[in-house]
Amino acid sequence: MQHNVLILDFGSQYTQLIARRVRELNIFCEIFPYNNPPTDLSSYKAVILSGSPFSVRADDAPHPDLSQIRGKLPLLAVCYGAQYLAHFDGGEVAPSNIREYGRANLSYIKDNEPFLEGVSENSQVWMSHSDTIKKLPTNGVVLASTKDVANAAYKIEGETTYAIQYHPEVYHSTDGKQMLENFLVKIAEVPQSFTPNSFVEDIVAELKAKIQDDKVVLGLSGGVDSTVAAVLLNKAIGPNLYCIFVNNGLLRKDEFESVLHQYKDMGLNVKGVDAADRFLSQLAGISDPETKRKTIGRVFIEVFDDEAHQLTDVKWLAQGTIYPDVIESVSVKGPSATIKSHHNVGGLPDFMKLQVVEPLRMLFKDEVRRVGATLGIDPELLGRHPFPGPGLSIRILGDITPEKVRILQEVDHVFISGLREHGLYDKVWQAGAILLPVNSVGVMGDERTYEKVVALRAVESTDGMTADWVHLPYDFLMKISNEIINKVKGVNRVVYDISSKPPATIEWE
């Protein structure tokens, strides 16, 4: 794997965005906590310091050792990083008279400066800090200013060190990507060689070398991540990959049969296991969302382990872990607080005694899809909306029963089929239905009903970290609502969720 750019994370909400912008330049990068950087920096060609919620003036502020970086590797310090360099090297950082947050415009740009090549005066940038640099560090030279921030950007003479008090990684900084490209490509001369094709070549070679003639078992979910991981492994080790696709009884309507057939058509060595009754019996009477997740996780491991033990000499467990999961599990403040417990990092029970292989652990979701396209995977499968690991269990609020699953599967089928028929499916990042623990009064014909309420949810997003609700056409929502109420026995009311993330989450549990 290429190791071209190191991003040191100081806890900023935007750190992953820095990595995404760098990857968009076809440059490979990795994020490490500032207090646990890689010991060997010989393969890195540049370093970026992220922003932070801390103030450099605080007693508990992050205090990294940059002795192996400053003056030795091209360095770009963003926001907190810029203030850190100033504060501890002859400059001065003080509270700003005004909170510098939001849009600003560059009012001064130094002439003939490679870092700002192609950036026009009045270019919009995004500020997010309450401190400001009053005095530049030793040998600092101002490169750009805004109306309120004199030292918006600077460099340090005698080093390839640049610093900015704004965030080039957010879309609000209109020339932010240009500045990153100027620093990485023109100044640091980092090769733009990270493409889906190069990733496939590198990872297949790496998998062959690591696994050799060993056997690997992989649990397929029907989702994009596990599917792309399976195709990569199949390309590397062929029939030594054993895939297990478990029906937990909480998939979409007819999904187990259709996806299993699709996998077999792709040439994967896959076995389908229908364990729906086992899962639903274990879930009976459980209403707490986290308990539902853990129960599903436990039963899945039991079922998966039963099947894996029928195979002989398996040494590896493959998982579809992707980079946001990895970053979250090694965040600056330790593993992130538990919001939900169903991603793939960690949790492997000791009794399975298998080594773990994760072909996608360095990719973001959109990169996984691009790699899948390079591998020739059906666009329809690659374009499938994300689906939660615990399936429909977390879209049924309250306890789980076979009847509730039936109702939600039928509602979801009407909604998703309608999106496809009306050309809306690919315009939505994720959509689904939620069965609420609410009954409402209705009238059907001359009869009074007291039946279930369902909520429809459709969001647009890039990677699920933030999401906006989709303004589906009223005529479409009216048609789908009527169809659900007419076709799905047990439902007499449909509502549409217009919450964005944050503050809401995409799923309801």
Side-chain angles (χ1 to χ4, degrees):
M1 182 61 69
Q2 309 169 53
H3 298 285
N4 286 333
V5 175
L6 169 63
I7 300 170
L8 291 182
D9 178 25
F10 294 90
S12 169
Q13 61 178 320
Y14 298 136
T15 302
Q16 285 196 39
L17 278 179
I18 298 175
R20 291 180 59 80
R21 296 295 165 263
V22 173
R23 296 278 185 92
E24 286 172 7
L25 296 170
N26 292 333
I27 292 174
F28 184 74
C29 60
E30 294 173 278
I31 297 173
F32 279 80
Y34 78 92
N35 53 1
N36 189 24
T39 53
D40 181 9
L41 298 177
S42 61
S43 59
Y44 292 99
K45 295 177 174 60
V47 178
I48 299 175
L49 308 182
S50 84
S52 175
F54 291 93
S55 164
V56 294
R57 299 176 297 104
D59 292 339
D60 60 348
H63 196 338
D65 176 10
L66 300 178
S67 59
Q68 298 305 307
I69 297 171
R70 277 281 305 268
K72 297 176 182 179
L73 288 169
L75 176 64
L76 174 62
V78 175
C79 199
Y80 177 89
Q83 295 176 356
Y84 178 86
L85 294 183
H87 185 65
F88 291 101
D89 192 16
E92 180 189 353
V93 176
S96 175
N97 294 329
I98 57 169
R99 178 156 162 69
E100 292 159 353
Y101 184 86
R103 294 173 178 84
N105 297 90
L106 298 181
S107 56
Y108 162 76
I109 294 176
K110 188 176 185 296
D111 291 335
N112 303 316
E113 172 49 52
F115 178 72
L116 295 168
E117 185 178 327
V119 178
S120 58
E121 199 168 298
N122 207 42
S123 177
Q124 179 177 285
V125 294
W126 184 262
M127 297 286 187
S128 181
H129 55 91
S130 53
D131 290 342
T132 195
I133 298 171
K134 295 292 188 183
K135 178 186 173 186
L136 291 176
T138 303
N139 298 325
V141 177
V142 67
L143 301 182
S145 307
T146 70
K147 176 174 171 287
D148 297 313
V149 182
N151 300 308
Y154 67 89
K155 68 178 179 181
I156 296 179
E157 292 283 14
E159 303 176 19
T160 316
T161 298
Y162 293 78
I164 50 181
Q165 287 202 80
Y166 49 85
H167 289 271
E169 67 272 23
V170 302
Y171 283 115
H172 304 293
S173 292
T174 50
D175 292 314
K177 187 176 179 181
Q178 180 66 55
M179 296 178 209
L180 288 172
E181 182 175 357
N182 289 343
F183 171 71
L184 293 171
V185 179
K186 296 174 182 174
I187 295 170
E189 298 182 341
V190 181
Q192 294 176 279
S193 56
F194 184 64
T195 64
N197 281 329
S198 70
F199 174 82
V200 170
E201 290 174 9
D202 290 348
I203 201 66
V204 167
E206 186 179 305
L207 291 169
K208 285 179 177 178
K210 178 187 287 188
I211 297 168
Q212 299 184 19
D213 294 326
D214 293 346
K215 293 180 180 178
V216 179
V217 63
L218 167 65
L220 286 168
S221 68
V224 174
D225 301 336
S226 67
T227 300
V228 174
V231 175
L232 277 171
L233 282 158
N234 188 53
K235 190 176 178 70
I237 63 172
N240 277 351
L241 173 66
Y242 295 83
C243 300
I244 298 172
F245 182 35
V246 177
N247 179 18
N248 59 12
L250 299 160
L251 302 174
R252 287 183 161 131
K253 182 180 178 181
D254 301 329
E255 188 170 50
F256 178 61
E257 294 79 6
S258 63
V259 172
L260 183 60
H261 182 74
Q262 197 169 17
Y263 280 145
K264 289 179 177 177
D265 286 347
M266 292 166 64
L268 295 177
N269 180 15
V270 58
K271 178 181 180 181
V273 180
D274 192 346
D277 291 343
R278 185 169 174 177
F279 278 88
L280 293 176
S281 65
Q282 292 289 307
L283 285 166
I286 297 175
S287 297
D288 178 68
E290 192 62 15
T291 306
K292 285 194 283 190
R293 292 175 187 276
K294 289 180 176 176
T295 300
I296 290 168
R298 172 179 59 79
V299 177
F300 175 82
I301 288 171
E302 291 170 359
V303 172
F304 189 81
D305 191 56
D306 289 345
E307 294 299 322
H309 272 102
Q310 295 179 32
L311 304 171
T312 57
D313 300 324
V314 173
K315 295 185 179 179
W316 297 86
L317 171 70
Q319 293 185 316
T321 309
I322 62 174
Y323 201 32
D325 295 334
V326 176
I327 297 168
E328 185 176 321
S329 68
V330 293
S331 65
V332 166
K333 299 176 184 177
S336 300
T338 299
I339 298 172
K340 50 188 178 182
S341 59
H342 69 259
H343 68 58
N344 292 322
V345 177
L348 181 67
D350 292 338
F351 63 77
M352 292 194 77
K353 308 295 184 189
L354 298 174
Q355 299 177 75
V356 176
V357 58
E358 298 167 314
L360 307 176
R361 67 178 283 110
M362 299 310 296
L363 298 185
F364 289 101
K365 189 78 171 187
D366 54 322
E367 293 174 324
V368 173
R369 287 195 166 100
R370 288 200 291 273
V371 166
T374 295
L375 291 165
I377 297 174
D378 187 337
E380 184 175 321
L381 201 157
L382 288 178
R384 291 186 70 196
H385 292 173
F387 190 66
L392 297 179
S393 74
I394 58 168
R395 294 181 179 177
I396 297 172
L397 275 56
D399 66 321
I400 311 294
T401 67
E403 174 62 8
K404 289 180 180 178
V405 173
R406 179 201 67 79
I407 290 173
L408 190 55
Q409 283 179 330
E410 294 293 341
V411 171
D412 179 87
H413 180 69
V414 172
F415 185 30
I416 299 301
S417 298
L419 288 170
R420 291 189 186 280
E421 290 166 10
H422 288 77
L424 296 168
Y425 185 86
D426 292 333
K427 297 178 181 178
V428 171
W429 191 75
Q430 183 172 338
I434 300 92
L435 183 64
L436 306 185
V438 175
N439 281 33
S440 74
V441 174
V443 177
M444 292 186 177
D446 294 326
E447 295 185 10
R448 184 182 178 90
T449 62
Y450 192 59
E451 295 180 332
K452 294 292 182 186
V453 179
V454 294
L456 305 183
R457 180 85 158 127
V459 299
E460 53 189 3
S461 179
T462 301
D463 50 23
M465 293 172 62
T466 61
D468 290 321
W469 63 280
V470 177
H471 295 237
L472 293 175
Y474 289 154
D475 288 348
F476 169 78
L477 289 172
M478 180 179 68
K479 181 180 185 301
I480 294 301
S481 174
N482 288 340
E483 194 171 341
I484 288 170
I485 292 169
N486 288 332
K487 288 185 175 180
V488 183
K489 185 178 179 182
V491 176
N492 70 357
R493 192 177 298 270
V494 177
V495 298
Y496 187 56
D497 182 352
I498 59 169
S499 310
S500 294
K501 177 185 179 181
T505 53
I506 295 175
E507 300 294 343
W508 281 40
E509 286 192 341

